[in-house]
Amino acid sequence: MLVEWQADGQRKVLHLKIQNLTRSIRATPAGFLEGAQRVMSSADAQPSGEAMQPSVSPGIQRRHTLPASEVRPLNTQDAISVFEIEREAFISVSGECPLHLDEVRHFLTLCPEFSMGWFEEGRLVAFIISSLWDRDRLATEALTLHKPHGSTAHIHVLAVHRTFRQQGKGPILMWRYLQYLRCLPNVRRAVLMCEDSLVPFYRKMGFKPLGRCAITVGALTFMEMWYPISGHAYMRRNSEAIRFPNAPLTVPLAHSDQQMDV
């Protein structure tokens, strides 16, 4: 049977098969017309000018996509990506890596909560790895140990993938990491050691020199720097601008009236 009707100047045709309707409506002429009117009413309810779309499997419609930007703790599955970025960033400059691959896996097993990675569409672009230390100054053992009851976060390495440098990602990730440390009740300060050429870089983020570090690597010597961790985290939970800034971000520095644009 064919039922035809006119709507909004367009001719719509609906084929109703009596064989499929007999299971749901009464097998009488009146019952058939009643069922046909219900189907026609539902078709008329659609917006005019829109063609009836074929049904699509929900599995096809809900295709999984990776988040554009994500910051999360690292895990051992990220170790190879971490080491590749670190090796490229440091070997070409100083000839030494702060952490070798087995040491990366070591810290991501012992204390993954003291790491942070920035991912773009599932790809690691920047990261920080730290562990806890329980003395006022760094010693050689701090390179390999994690002291769970320590109050100092020893930042072993901050590195950015070469294709994402000069975009402010390093300072932004460090600033976010320092705010994260403020949420941890036992952490009182962060320390790191760096070459003299990087001292101005970390000064701009609020780190202060402690003096020459007792640790040396071959002929390399380092400056030890620290950052006080106190107060509450300066981070708005629902602010996309703070999580992934699209414009230069003004970062407040510790105990200073100056500000840094990154």
Side-chain angles (χ1 to χ4, degrees):
M1 178 180 178
L2 181 65
V3 179
E4 301 180 354
W5 75 98
Q6 195 77 17
D8 297 329
Q10 295 184 355
R11 191 170 187 83
K12 298 182 179 179
V13 181
L14 176 65
H15 292 272
L16 300 176
K17 295 182 179 179
I18 299 177
Q19 293 88 344
N20 294 333
L21 290 173
T22 53
R23 295 184 179 179
S24 59
I25 61 177
R26 297 186 300 275
T28 65
F32 174 79
L33 291 175
E34 181 183 355
Q37 289 174 354
R38 287 199 300 268
V39 175
M40 292 166 62
S41 299
S42 62
D44 286 337
Q46 295 185 355
S48 60
E50 293 185 1
M52 297 179 66
Q53 299 294 330
S55 60
V56 181
S57 170
I60 298 176
Q61 290 179 335
R62 298 179 182 177
R63 185 177 63 180
H64 175 70
T65 56
L66 293 168
S69 292
E70 178 187 20
V71 173
R72 63 166 174 81
L74 299 168
N75 56 58
T76 53
Q77 294 179 347
D78 302 313
I80 293 178
S81 297
V82 165
F83 183 65
E84 288 176 349
I85 294 174
E86 180 194 15
R87 181 174 56 186
E88 189 279 330
F90 288 91
I91 289 292
S92 60
V93 177
S94 62
E96 295 287 343
C97 277
L99 298 175
H100 296 288
L101 180 57
D102 58 340
E103 295 168 331
V104 171
R105 291 192 173 117
H106 171 71
F107 285 117
L108 294 185
T109 299
L110 281 179
C111 49
E113 69 276 13
F114 286 95
S115 68
M116 184 174 284
W118 187 336
F119 294 79
E120 295 280 355
E121 296 182 350
R123 179 186 184 186
L124 181 65
V125 301
F127 70 88
I128 292 173
I129 294 180
S130 301
S131 62
L132 285 181
W133 184 240
D134 59 356
R135 301 182 199 171
D136 292 336
R137 299 293 298 268
L138 294 176
T140 304
E141 308 92 82
L143 298 179
T144 56
L145 295 181
H146 169 61
K147 299 286 189 176
H149 301 293
S151 60
T152 297
H154 172 207
I155 300 174
H156 294 274
V157 57
L158 161 66
V160 180
H161 193 282
R162 63 180 179 275
T163 59
F164 293 89
R165 292 173 194 156
Q166 305 302 319
Q167 300 178 22
K169 282 184 166 52
I172 292 171
L173 184 64
M174 176 63 81
W175 179 77
R176 175 160 183 166
Y177 183 73
L178 294 173
Q179 301 310 309
Y180 166 72
L181 292 180
R182 293 178 186 272
C183 301
L184 305 180
N186 298 325
V187 178
R188 295 291 177 264
R189 64 177 191 153
V191 299
L192 56 82
M193 61 184 205
C194 65
E195 296 181 60
D196 292 345
S197 60
L198 290 175
V199 169
F201 174 78
Y202 288 109
R203 273 185 180 273
K204 290 180 180 179
M205 286 184 277
F207 283 84
K208 300 177 181 179
L210 275 173
R212 304 308 300 178
C213 185
I215 301 172
T216 59
V217 178
L220 294 176
T221 61
F222 305 95
M223 177 67 71
E224 189 169 337
M225 306 187 75
W226 76 288
Y227 183 96
I229 303 296
S230 60
H232 299 288
Y234 184 77
M235 186 179 298
R236 291 174 292 177
R237 183 173 300 176
N238 297 321
S239 173
E240 294 293 337
I242 286 181
R243 285 185 287 173
F244 303 108
N246 294 320
L249 173 67
T250 300
V251 179
L253 303 183
H255 306 297
S256 173
D257 294 333
Q258 298 178 347
Q259 292 182 325
M260 175 184 66
D261 291 332
V262 295

